[in-house]
Amino acid sequence: MIDENQFLQKLNDAIDHNRITLPTLPEVALKVRDAVEREQSSANQIADIIASDAALSARLLQVANSPLYRGRVTIDNLQMAVARLGVRLVRSLVISLIMQQIFQATSDLLDAKFRQIWEESVEIAALSRVLAANTDHLDKEQAMLAGLIHNIGALPILAFAESHDELLEDAEELDRIIDALSPRIGQRILEMWDFSESLIRVPANFLNLDYTSEGEMDYVDIVLVARLESQMNDNGSIDATTLSQIPAFVKVGLEPEVNIIEIEGVADDIQNIEVMFIS
């Protein structure tokens, strides 16, 4: 069994000496985020920034015309998409869409693992968006992004594992290392990306069932409950008594007996989100 602290020390050393590079946000995402935060940029200006990335432009138009976001008139240009959706929604969608690029395998050896983590993240994102839609103070698009990035700390671990045959040959050990180290690495990545504190807390705490948010529920609560709901869908029910003792589940306010997937309209929304991100 690999020593976690020793592995983390080696991983941090590799990152510090540029032998392993932490994932970075593409320039187009940074420019869109900065433009929206300045609050003086027009829809046309933001559309011009997005237009510099042909693949992202096509994906955003596709999403704008998807069942989740489309209106009565088909959107056929970026200016119309930004004007229709609004700049803040576009900012969230741009970063969310770019996550799919970041979760790309660095080698054929790890392709299946990258794909597994991405598909799990998309499911959590879809459930998180549904859960946040029922709150007054959380943004459902930010909740979706929180779901997509909750396990982003796994990416440099997987990249580093390429040079450790003992990890590549032992899937259970690799999963254990990811669970142990992903929170710290994920927090470091989002701090480097200058994400908001409300999102930085997500990768840092997504495995902490004892997490207790201050005041109203936050995005960590949402992602924790989304993960529990996903586990219940995959592995059957979790004991109601167990759920009632998890602070996040209590704060979100779901009844332990309720399967969120069975609520009318939820399954369709989740399927539409999965179609957006899994191709």
Side-chain angles (χ1 to χ4, degrees):
M1 181 177 290
I2 293 175
D3 181 85
E4 293 167 13
N5 290 328
Q6 186 179 31
F7 187 89
L8 179 62
Q9 184 177 354
K10 288 182 178 180
L11 178 58
N12 282 330
D13 184 66
I15 292 169
D16 291 339
H17 291 86
N18 296 318
R19 294 194 298 274
I20 294 290
T21 303
L22 291 178
T24 58
L25 279 180
E27 186 177 5
V28 63
L30 295 173
K31 286 183 176 180
V32 168
R33 185 176 68 181
D34 291 345
V36 172
E37 290 177 355
R38 283 198 300 271
E39 297 185 351
Q40 297 174 342
S41 301
S42 67
N44 284 347
Q45 289 172 320
I46 291 173
D48 287 343
I49 295 171
I50 298 169
S52 66
D53 187 317
L56 178 62
S57 299
R59 292 284 287 117
L60 185 61
L61 286 175
Q62 182 182 21
V63 168
N65 288 298
S66 70
L68 284 176
Y69 302 105
R70 68 187 175 201
R72 295 181 179 179
V73 179
T74 299
I75 296 175
D76 58 10
N77 63 73
L78 287 175
Q79 289 79 8
M80 187 177 179
V82 176
R84 168 81 66 78
L85 297 172
V87 294
R88 295 195 175 277
L89 174 53
V90 166
R91 175 191 59 186
S92 293
L93 287 175
V94 163
I95 296 175
S96 294
L97 290 170
I98 280 173
M99 286 303 113
Q100 189 171 13
Q101 300 175 20
I102 292 173
F103 276 79
Q104 295 296 315
T106 53
S107 74
D108 291 340
L109 284 173
L110 294 171
D111 181 68
K113 191 63 180 177
F114 269 84
R115 189 164 57 250
Q116 174 198 335
I117 291 175
W118 174 245
E119 290 178 358
E120 289 172 353
S121 297
V122 170
E123 181 182 6
I124 301 306
L127 289 165
S128 295
R129 187 181 187 276
V130 168
L131 290 168
N134 295 313
T135 71
D136 296 327
H137 65 287
L138 295 178
D139 183 284
K140 61 185 179 182
E141 308 303 336
Q142 285 291 94
M144 181 171 72
L145 177 57
L148 291 175
I149 53 87
H150 79 276
N151 199 16
I152 195 155
L155 302 192
I157 297 171
L158 288 175
F160 195 58
E162 284 190 82
S163 59
H164 290 72
D165 292 340
E166 67 273 28
L167 277 179
L168 294 179
E169 295 169 359
D170 189 339
E172 290 186 6
E173 180 70 356
L174 179 58
D175 286 342
R176 188 186 68 81
I177 289 291
I178 289 173
D179 285 348
L181 303 184
S182 176
R184 281 175 279 184
I185 300 297
Q187 179 178 353
R188 181 172 176 177
I189 291 170
L190 294 200
E191 288 172 345
M192 181 183 74
W193 288 356
D194 197 26
F195 269 39
S196 66
E197 180 59 33
S198 63
L199 288 178
I200 291 173
R201 286 196 295 268
V202 173
N205 293 284
F206 78 95
L207 292 174
N208 179 14
L209 293 180
D210 294 323
Y211 174 83
T212 304
S213 55
E214 297 181 5
E216 295 181 293
M217 78 179 87
D218 62 12
Y219 293 116
V220 180
D221 292 315
I222 292 290
V223 168
L224 281 167
V225 173
R227 283 176 53 82
L228 289 168
E229 289 287 330
S230 175
Q231 290 169 18
M232 285 190 284
N233 291 332
D234 292 341
N235 305 318
S237 61
I238 298 176
D239 180 73
T241 302
T242 300
L243 290 175
S244 67
Q245 294 172 348
I246 298 173
F249 200 90
V250 174
K251 187 159 283 192
V252 170
L254 283 180
E255 294 293 331
E257 298 80 11
V258 173
N259 185 338
I260 190 173
I261 299 293
E262 296 175 356
I263 298 174
E264 184 177 358
V266 168
D268 289 340
D269 282 352
I270 290 173
Q271 183 179 20
N272 288 330
I273 293 169
E274 291 178 345
V275 168
M276 280 171 49
F277 292 111
I278 299 175
S279 55

